[in-house]
Amino acid sequence: MRSDLIKKGVDRTPHKALLKSLGITDSEMEKPFIAVVCAASDYVPGHSHLHEISQCVKDGIRNAGGVPFEFFTIGVCDGLAMNHKGMRYSLASRELIADSIEVMLTAHPLDGAVFIPNCDKIVPGMIMAAARLNLPSVFVSGGPMKAGCVQGRRVGYNEIYEAIGKYSDGEIGDEVLKDYENNACPTCGSCSGMYTANSMNCLTEAIGLALPFNGTEPAVNSARRRIAKEAGERIVELYKQDIKAKDILTKDNMINALATDMAIGASSNTVLHLLAIAHEAKIDITLEDIDKVSRRVPQLAKLNPASDVFIEDLNAAGGIQTVLKELSRIGAVNTDVITVTGTQKERTDKAKDADGIVVHKAESPIRKDGGIAILTGNLAENGAVVKQGAVKPEMMSTICTAKVFDGEQAAVDAILGGVIQPGDVVVIRYEGPKGGPGMPEMLAPTAAIVGKGLDGSVALITDGRFSGASRGAAVGHVSPEAAEGGLIAFVEDGDKIRIDIPERKIQLLVDETELDRRREKGILPPKELDGYLKRYARSVTSSNTGAVFSD
């Protein structure tokens, strides 16, 4: 047992004395010690109920003959952090989460770990820690929120931001806006569409680190508590079988996750996080690999914000195991790989068949390629990311006129103020990993474009990133970023930009002589920073490598 480092031998008597001060008995000293790594907090809706989920996990561990030890991590709610300085800490928190778990589980060596995340950066931060520590590991999320209902229509979190655009146009009034405020987020849990949190929880299931339905079973359902108990029981069995995190975190399982990502039209943020997880697990995956998967895997599901289908609907249709089953039918995934509960084939054999409505058959997909595309060109020599499954057909190939903003808020003001017109492309720069710093999400400008009814005629390009709730012709993760001298730093108002998603191209249509003249002016000086963001900006790498810390 790894925990023998603190409980075996005469020289460990001081350690055992401390453990007994916690109430640990002699019989418990002979059992596996299991960490329960919980991200509960009182004001993050996705995490407000995780104390209860954690208790179920601990019950399961005890049922199976283990001894649970719970500790907590930080977690940023992207919704509460949106549109102010706090959003710069969201992606940056991922590295802190991984580091803090490493500290706790190295200083206090235990025999396995159950990870309880729910929202955006907490999921990948915990997976990165699991890869780094390579203990027997199981993940169980808090589950998704139920869809809201406003004016007789089911809605998700993104529709609140879109309502602001309608409000600014006088299309809706105070009463309707208040209805959104009161009813769009009706329960605890991660927000109800295929946003980043639910995307990552679904992909954790596809990777094999979580039990079936981990990504889709609603937070308020009793089945969520049963999954948590089963996860607690399962970790003890994984300990006995000596199956560790990196036995499951293989390239085949990561490719399965990427294929699932494409099939469900997941958040573009998954690209950042899967690259970071692969880096931590020493698995060679690049943007080029991601685009290859995108080109060969069809999109089988289209969920909110791209449609009025919600995570709870995917759950009722069979969840991620049904998606994997349909992908395996066409050879798009490898089901011989192991998971925390047998092989992926053993899991998919028990899954429902695709219903052809929520989960399309491979012969009649929503798209013949995946929900995410990687673009390259002179404006993004190292790549850019677009959630093509949420782009209107008329914006898949377009030439737009640039209107340039050195930061998000100025762009939002311009959109809501009527400055942005059909045929424009909003360029928001100096919002990348270093330039932001922290690569803040930009739900407000994308939702304002949709709310203004411009998502069929206006694009957005940024070296920052988007919320999983964003939709429209929104191209993010532009690399190199402006702060590192990427071409996006030298775009000017009135420039023409060609976006061709089917051809995977993004091109600034300005001749090289003019660009050389602009480069001579240089880029904006770095922002004055202090505290963690100063250290983060100094250490973080580009988005095309997952925005991880440099070694």
Side-chain angles (χ1 to χ4, degrees), residues 359-548:
V359 180
H360 286 227
K361 298 285 187 178
E363 293 78 12
S364 54
I366 292 164
R367 303 181 53 84
K368 292 183 179 180
D369 56 358
I372 292 174
I374 308 300
L375 310 185
T376 58
N378 69 347
L379 194 53
E381 292 180 356
N382 295 337
V385 181
V386 62
K387 187 176 179 178
Q388 63 173 342
V391 178
K392 287 191 171 181
E394 59 268 35
M395 293 302 291
M396 293 295 288
S397 183
T398 183
I399 295 177
C400 299
T401 303
K403 287 186 177 171
V404 185
F405 304 90
D406 293 331
E408 177 188 8
Q409 191 55 52
V412 174
D413 293 342
I415 297 164
L416 294 177
V419 174
I420 306 304
Q421 297 297 314
D424 287 342
V425 54
V426 178
V427 179
I428 305 176
R429 62 194 181 190
Y430 294 101
E431 295 287 17
K434 286 185 179 294
M439 208 179 178
E441 283 188 349
M442 298 185 191
L443 177 55
T446 56
I449 288 169
V450 174
K452 286 282 191 178
L454 296 171
D455 52 321
S457 59
V458 169
L460 194 154
I461 297 170
T462 182
D463 52 6
R465 62 195 178 92
F466 300 109
S467 165
S470 293
R471 59 186 171 116
V475 180
H477 307 205
V478 168
S479 180
E481 63 176 289
E484 294 197 310
L487 191 56
I488 191 172
F490 305 106
V491 181
E492 294 184 358
D493 287 345
D495 287 349
K496 298 295 184 182
I497 296 175
R498 180 168 73 94
I499 302 171
D500 193 329
I501 297 173
E503 293 297 321
R504 305 296 205 265
K505 291 295 182 183
I506 181 166
Q507 198 80 9
L508 176 63
L509 304 178
V510 175
D511 68 72
E512 197 61 35
T513 301
E514 170 61 17
L515 291 177
D516 286 342
R517 185 191 67 79
R518 295 180 188 180
R519 288 188 181 102
E520 290 177 0
K521 298 178 182 178
I523 62 176
L524 290 181
K527 295 172 182 173
E528 289 292 327
L529 301 171
D530 56 19
Y532 178 57
L533 285 184
K534 184 176 183 178
R535 299 194 300 277
Y536 181 84
R538 189 167 56 233
S539 301
V540 72
T541 63
S542 175
S543 60
N544 69 299
T545 57
V548 297

Side-chain angles (χ1 to χ4, degrees), residues 295-330:
R295 289 175 185 271
R296 70 174 175 81
V297 176
Q299 184 177 351
L300 303 180
K302 190 172 187 177
L303 289 90
N304 180 271
S307 78
D308 58 1
V309 178
F310 290 84
I311 296 291
E312 62 199 82
D313 304 318
L314 177 58
N315 188 69
I320 294 304
Q321 298 305 311
T322 288
V323 174
L324 285 163
K325 184 175 186 176
E326 187 62 16
L327 290 175
S328 69
R329 195 172 63 80
I330 60 170

Side-chain angles (χ1 to χ4, degrees), residues 118-133:
N118 214 23
C119 292
D120 299 21
K121 264 55 64 190
I122 299 93
V123 186
M126 287 185 173
I127 299 176
M128 290 162 69
R132 193 180 300 175
L133 293 158

Side-chain angles (χ1 to χ4, degrees), residues 46 49-50 53 117-118 140-145 188-191 198 201 214-220 224:
H49 62 305
L50 293 191
I53 299 298
N118 214 23
V140 55
S141 78
M145 183 184 290
C188 63
S190 48
C191 296
N198 291 326
N201 285 320
N214 174 71
T216 57
E217 189 66 53
V220 295
R224 171 60 55 186

Side-chain angles (χ1 to χ4, degrees), residues 152-232:
R153 172 176 167 251
R154 288 202 306 169
V155 300
Y157 182 70
N158 63 293
E159 278 92 351
I160 308 171
Y161 279 87
E162 292 167 13
I164 294 171
K166 294 176 182 178
Y167 182 83
S168 71
D169 271 358
E171 188 178 335
I172 62 173
D174 292 340
E175 186 176 338
V176 174
L177 198 63
K178 192 70 172 180
D179 197 0
Y180 276 96
E181 180 183 322
N182 288 336
N183 298 305
C185 298
T187 71
C188 63
S190 48
C191 296
S192 55
M194 189 56 77
Y195 313 147
T196 307
N198 291 326
S199 295
M200 286 307 304
N201 285 320
C202 287
L203 297 189
T204 303
E205 186 179 330
I207 287 171
L209 284 171
L211 276 64
F213 294 99
N214 174 71
T216 57
E217 189 66 53
V220 295
N221 287 2
S222 57
R224 171 60 55 186
R225 279 77 187 153
R226 294 197 296 274
I227 291 171
K229 282 188 181 180
E230 289 165 4

